[in-house]
């Protein structure tokens, strides 16, 4: 697998977090969370360039300290995608992969799959990932975002609710959304100028903006689960996993 010309991986990282402030700087197995994310992202084989986009000098100082390229962005952005759009504007990037700063176990192969989904399919402007839900608890957990797909593998809707509602108890397969996105640079710039959607505000899911405005999102299905850290309990679990790997 070769690098894709103009493929950038961007990690948006902000200090403010409703449930776990400063989480991207939290220590995990001796390194800040954001460094774990960055080290996994640079292992992706298709990316030409990796960048951390932040609005906080504390995060910038830590990231430059471990060797990352950093772009300072506006503190006014309402979503990570808007921050990524600013960081890559005028950069020459052709494909941009948005990797969440709170995913210290992100799979580099997933990043490559997203990059290739756009580089090999000229008609695809935006892509993301999903995996089959295997735990009944995840179906009702609002922290686990669900996605329903059409016959062509495009998203119909994303929700924190258990969709689709299985009225006839058919044991239908539900899919968990994994919050990595790939965009063509031109579409990313367009996306950042779109008016936020009512559904986006209601669900707290920025990807609904694209669907609201009539754009398709290609969904690549993978095996595995998202490891995003939103709470202290999530942090404790990931710490245990990574510290166990190091022993």
């Amino acid at each position: 697998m070769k690098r894709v010309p103009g493929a950038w991986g961007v990690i948006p990282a902000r200090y403010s977090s409703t449930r776990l402030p400063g989480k991207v700087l939290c220590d995990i197995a001796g390194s800040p969370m954001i460094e774990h994310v960055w080290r996994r992202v640079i292992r992706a084989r298709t990316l030409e360039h990796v960048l951390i986009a932040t609005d906080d000098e504390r995060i910038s100082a830590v990231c430059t300290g471990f060797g990352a390229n950093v772009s300072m962005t506006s503190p006014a952005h309402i979503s990570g995608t808007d921050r990524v759009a600013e960081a890559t504007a005028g950069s020459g990037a052709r494909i941009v992969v948005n990797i969440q700063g709170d995913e210290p176990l992100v799979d580099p192969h997933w990043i490559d799959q997203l990059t290739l989904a756009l580089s090999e399919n000229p008609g695809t402007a935006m892509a993301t990932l999903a995996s089959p839900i295997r735990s009944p608890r995840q179906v009702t957990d609002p922290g686990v975002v669900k996605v329903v797909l059409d016959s062509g593998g495009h998203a119909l809707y994303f929700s924190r609710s258990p969709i689709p509602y299985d009225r006839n108890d058919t044991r239908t397969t539900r899919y968990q959304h994994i919050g990595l996105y790939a965009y063509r640079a031109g579409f990313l710039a367009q996306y950042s100028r779109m008016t936020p959607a009512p559904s986006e505000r209601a669900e707290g899911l920025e990807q609904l903006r694209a669907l609201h405005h009539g754009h398709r999102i290609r969904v690549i299905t993978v095996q595995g689960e998202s490891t995003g850290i939103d709470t202290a309990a999530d942090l404790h679990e990931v710490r245990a996993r990574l510290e166990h790997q190091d022993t």
Side-chain angles (χ1 to χ4, degrees), residues 69-231:
N69 292 313
V70 178
S71 175
M72 293 300 296
T73 57
S74 168
H77 295 306
I78 65 172
S79 74
T81 300
D82 297 318
R83 192 174 308 285
V84 171
E86 181 190 345
T88 55
S91 66
R94 298 177 184 176
I95 293 172
V96 180
V97 183
N98 176 353
I99 305 103
Q100 305 299 320
D102 60 0
E103 291 270 359
L105 297 177
V106 63
D107 187 337
H109 182 59
W110 289 355
I111 298 169
D112 290 331
Q113 286 180 280
L114 280 176
T115 304
L116 294 175
L118 267 64
S119 67
E120 296 178 353
N121 298 281
T124 299
M126 178 177 178
T128 191
L129 301 175
S131 64
I133 292 178
R134 307 193 186 282
S135 165
R137 177 192 61 79
Q138 292 180 310
V139 173
T140 56
D141 183 352
V144 176
V145 176
K146 275 68 68 173
V147 58
V148 176
L149 311 180
D150 68 13
S151 61
H154 295 90
L156 289 172
Y157 192 68
F158 298 84
S159 182
R160 298 183 183 279
S161 297
I163 58 171
Y165 176 71
D166 197 358
R167 178 180 180 183
N168 298 313
D169 195 25
T170 61
R171 301 292 193 271
T172 185
T173 300
R174 290 186 174 89
Y175 290 92
Q176 171 190 7
H177 178 231
I178 297 173
L180 279 76
Y181 304 92
Y183 315 86
R184 294 198 183 281
F187 177 76
L188 175 60
Q190 178 186 355
Y191 177 97
S192 68
R193 295 191 295 267
M194 293 177 192
T195 304
S199 56
E200 172 187 358
R201 295 186 184 278
E203 296 263 16
L205 300 174
E206 61 183 288
Q207 65 270 33
L208 291 172
R209 190 186 313 178
L211 297 184
H212 176 81
H213 289 280
H215 300 280
R216 296 204 300 176
I217 302 176
R218 178 78 172 90
V219 181
I220 310 300
T221 56
V222 297
Q223 298 301 313
E225 296 183 1
S226 176
T227 56
I229 295 176
D230 293 318
T231 66

